[in-house]
Amino acid sequence: MPEPTFDELIAGMTGESSQRLAAFGGLLRGVGAEVVAEFNDFSKTLAALPGVGQSAASRIAALRADDSLPLDHRRRLEHETRDGVELVLRKTPAAAHQAIPRIRSMLEDGLLPNAARTDAGIRSLRRQEVQAAMAVQSSGTPLERARRLVGQNAAWDAELLSDYGRAIVGNDHPVLRAEAVGRWKVRTDGTEKQLASRKALAGLEKANLEGAVTAHLQAARAHLTRDDRLPPGRQP
Amino acid sequence: MKIRRSIADLIQRETPGSPGGGQSSGPPEPTNFEEAMGYLTRTREQLAHSNSELDKARREAAGYRVGAKGQLAGASRKISALLGEPVADDQEPPDIDSLIAKLDPSKHAAAIKAKDGEIRSLKLRAKLSESFHDLGLKPGITRAALIDAGHMERLQADVDKPDFDEIVSTTLEELAENMPEVRGSGTAPVRTSAPMNHSQNPTLQISHEELAGMQPEEVAAALRSGRLNSILGRS
């Protein structure tokens, strides 16, 4: 069996994750422009990563081969290039990793009911309903009472997950939100946006975006260290 | 004389209040000529009265028949007019059964469906026009992109959904995100000069010092926009 070429090795590193990314991108229909924009930035960043190592490696190779410049100057330039690339390869994946929870959070926002477009009068009535439903419960903290309500009624959930709910449960609001996300993930109803977001959230788990970041970073490093792995006699 | 006698018996039997009315025994038989003549006279009077009442009833029934026919004709004319086939006053109105057959909803299903499709199409068109303006999108190219991506059929099917407005805005915003060419009309500011190309402008390239102080997100954005080309040794 012939040994794989360098390009085949790189394709092997990033190919599968790129396919998963493309499949996940296909699920981002109807989830909102913010998610699509965030994912597009994420994909473009990852796609640019291997090229970072490749272009830096080419420049270093060109510097080594350029005998018209003094050796010290070439070494300084190579050192600068390596430093710059190392910074880029450290910070860019960090940015990509930071984008993943943002994408997840945006999809969760799309999954949960939203009262932003509801008439103020109707919202007032719904809040009274929520208050009455919480008052009926004989025991428990506000958070416990709210958690029991979550998932029963989309309109109530919309209020509980808004600033109104934040005023009721205080700093425990993220816990209430997580409870609501868990319940809405397993439901089958909702608006088009909720359905699309639910599907995309399921796809997000399969897409393994963290793995894709690592794969593209490794591809960039492989490009950067390609010539370093050559025997000393073959180095330029 | 025998027949007249039979009629007299019959009237007397069927007339309430008359002597022997409704009784099987009948009136007492006349015993002499005067009584018979008197009886015959009364019978004639009763028969004339009955004939008069019958005539009145017949005239009344005829009046009802004429009135009903007129009302039916009027109704037929009105239904014909509603069906788009008006009938002149001097013309015979069409048969009511044929009009009812024309009103049968099953016979209008195709036309109703066509109108329904037209209404949905108009509603979608109005919403899209409004959204194009709000989002500053080019109507022509955006509409073409929606058709090309298969969004138009989906949106038309979603017209009746309560979250239709959200579906339209989400679809258009996503389209604009994936296809920036659709942006550029409406209330958005119009560029009158040539766009700047940051990636080819060496003055906007980031230095090593700047790179060291940048946040990861800024580095990623700079990488995407080509402002790290100098550091990465790209010409």
Side-chain angles (χ1 to χ4, degrees):
Chain A
M1 189 175 173
E3 214 169 286
T5 64
F6 183 74
D7 288 339
E8 285 172 345
L9 278 174
I10 296 293
M13 282 181 186
T14 59
E16 197 181 329
S17 61
S18 296
Q19 283 177 2
R20 285 202 305 266
L21 281 182
F24 177 61
L27 293 175
L28 298 181
R29 254 191 168 197
V31 295
E34 300 85 4
V35 189
V36 175
E38 189 71 47
F39 178 72
N40 285 348
D41 284 349
F42 176 84
S43 299
K44 284 177 192 166
T45 303
L46 287 199
L49 266 181
V52 169
Q54 198 171 17
S55 54
S58 300
R59 186 180 191 198
I60 290 168
L63 281 172
R64 286 177 178 173
D66 188 0
D67 293 333
S68 64
L69 295 172
L71 185 62
D72 287 349
H73 180 64
R74 283 188 279 155
R75 282 184 177 162
R76 189 177 59 79
L77 287 179
E78 182 182 333
H79 189 68
E80 275 182 6
T81 304
R82 280 192 183 279
D83 283 352
V85 170
E86 280 301 329
L87 265 178
V88 173
L89 291 186
R90 202 168 58 242
K91 292 192 176 185
T92 308
H97 279 297
Q98 287 170 4
I100 297 169
R102 280 202 301 272
I103 292 172
R104 182 176 285 111
S105 178
M106 286 175 186
L107 288 175
E108 287 173 356
D109 284 344
L111 173 70
L112 297 172
N114 191 332
R117 295 185 187 217
T118 311
D119 179 71
I122 293 172
R123 287 194 66 177
S124 177
L125 291 172
R126 286 177 180 168
R127 288 177 182 185
Q128 287 175 20
E129 288 174 7
V130 171
Q131 277 181 338
M134 286 184 74
V136 165
Q137 299 174 40
S138 55
S139 65
T141 63
L143 174 65
E144 288 166 348
R145 294 180 186 196
R147 284 177 71 174
R148 285 186 210 122
L149 286 187
V150 155
Q152 291 182 22
N153 181 319
W156 292 0
D157 287 2
E159 292 304 330
L160 285 170
L161 297 168
S162 70
D163 287 342
Y164 173 74
R166 199 185 304 276
I168 292 176
V169 300
N171 292 332
D172 292 328
H173 198 247
V175 179
L176 184 63
R177 187 179 185 277
E179 180 86 28
V181 168
R183 297 206 180 166
W184 277 92
K185 265 185 181 176
V186 295
R187 285 174 71 148
T188 54
D189 60 335
T191 63
E192 286 290 313
K193 189 171 184 177
Q194 285 179 293
L195 297 178
S197 298
R198 185 178 294 132
K199 208 171 165 183
L201 271 172
L204 180 64
E205 309 304 326
K206 293 178 190 165
N208 186 16
L209 301 190
E210 292 86 353
V213 176
T214 306
H216 284 76
L217 176 62
Q218 289 308 314
R221 291 206 176 280
H223 274 297
L224 188 61
T225 56
R226 180 185 182 181
D227 292 333
D228 295 346
R229 289 184 288 121
L230 291 174
R234 291 186 60 191
Q235 282 191 9
Chain B
M1 191 66 190
K2 195 174 181 181
I3 294 168
R4 284 174 183 265
R5 176 72 193 166
S6 301
I7 291 170
D9 289 347
L10 184 65
I11 289 170
Q12 202 148 28
R13 271 207 306 275
E14 296 302 324
T15 305
S18 61
Q23 292 175 7
S24 58
S25 57
E29 287 292 320
T31 53
N32 54 37
F33 180 75
E34 285 75 18
E35 278 183 15
M37 283 304 288
Y39 180 80
L40 187 60
T41 305
R42 283 197 305 279
T43 304
R44 277 180 179 158
E45 285 170 1
Q46 286 173 352
L47 184 61
H49 175 72
S50 297
N51 282 338
S52 166
E53 290 298 315
L54 184 62
D55 196 39
K56 279 183 194 171
R58 279 178 178 159
R59 278 202 298 274
E60 193 178 339
Y64 286 136
R65 278 201 303 276
V66 170
K69 194 176 177 184
Q71 285 177 351
L72 187 64
S76 296
R77 284 180 205 283
K78 285 179 182 172
I79 293 170
S80 291
L82 288 174
L83 288 171
E85 300 166 2
V87 180
D89 290 341
D90 57 345
Q91 284 182 334
E92 189 71 16
D95 180 45
I96 191 72
D97 289 334
S98 69
L99 292 174
I100 288 169
K102 285 181 185 175
L103 287 171
D104 186 356
S106 64
K107 294 188 177 175
H108 299 277
I112 290 169
K113 196 176 175 184
K115 291 285 180 196
D116 184 52
E118 195 177 338
I119 291 166
R120 298 168 80 87
S121 180
L122 287 171
K123 191 174 173 186
L124 175 61
R125 198 183 178 90
K127 181 64 193 166
L128 284 179
S129 297
E130 183 189 335
S131 301
F132 289 162
H133 181 263
D134 290 347
L135 299 172
L137 303 177
K138 295 177 186 169
I141 191 171
T142 309
R143 206 177 290 276
L146 284 173
I147 293 168
D148 187 51
H151 289 307
M152 211 57 124
E153 287 177 13
R154 187 173 59 85
L155 289 177
Q156 196 150 358
D158 291 343
V159 161
D160 295 330
K161 291 189 176 174
D163 56 335
F164 175 62
D165 288 358
E166 186 185 61
I167 293 171
V168 171
S169 59
T170 303
T171 303
L172 290 179
E173 284 168 7
E174 285 179 7
L175 185 73
E177 188 57 45
N178 288 324
M179 199 176 168
E181 302 92 305
V182 302
R183 293 187 191 274
S185 69
T187 54
V190 178
R191 182 187 290 279
T192 55
S193 59
M196 291 175 70
N197 190 341
H198 291 188
S199 62
Q200 291 177 1
N201 189 338
T203 58
L204 288 173
Q205 287 296 305
I206 288 166
S207 66
H208 283 82
E209 291 74 25
E210 287 173 324
L211 177 64
M214 285 167 72
Q215 293 296 314
E217 270 184 54
E218 296 170 329
V219 175
L223 175 65
R224 291 194 299 269
S225 64
R227 287 186 293 141
L228 293 177
N229 285 352
S230 175
I231 287 176
L232 298 176
R234 292 170 178 167
S235 53

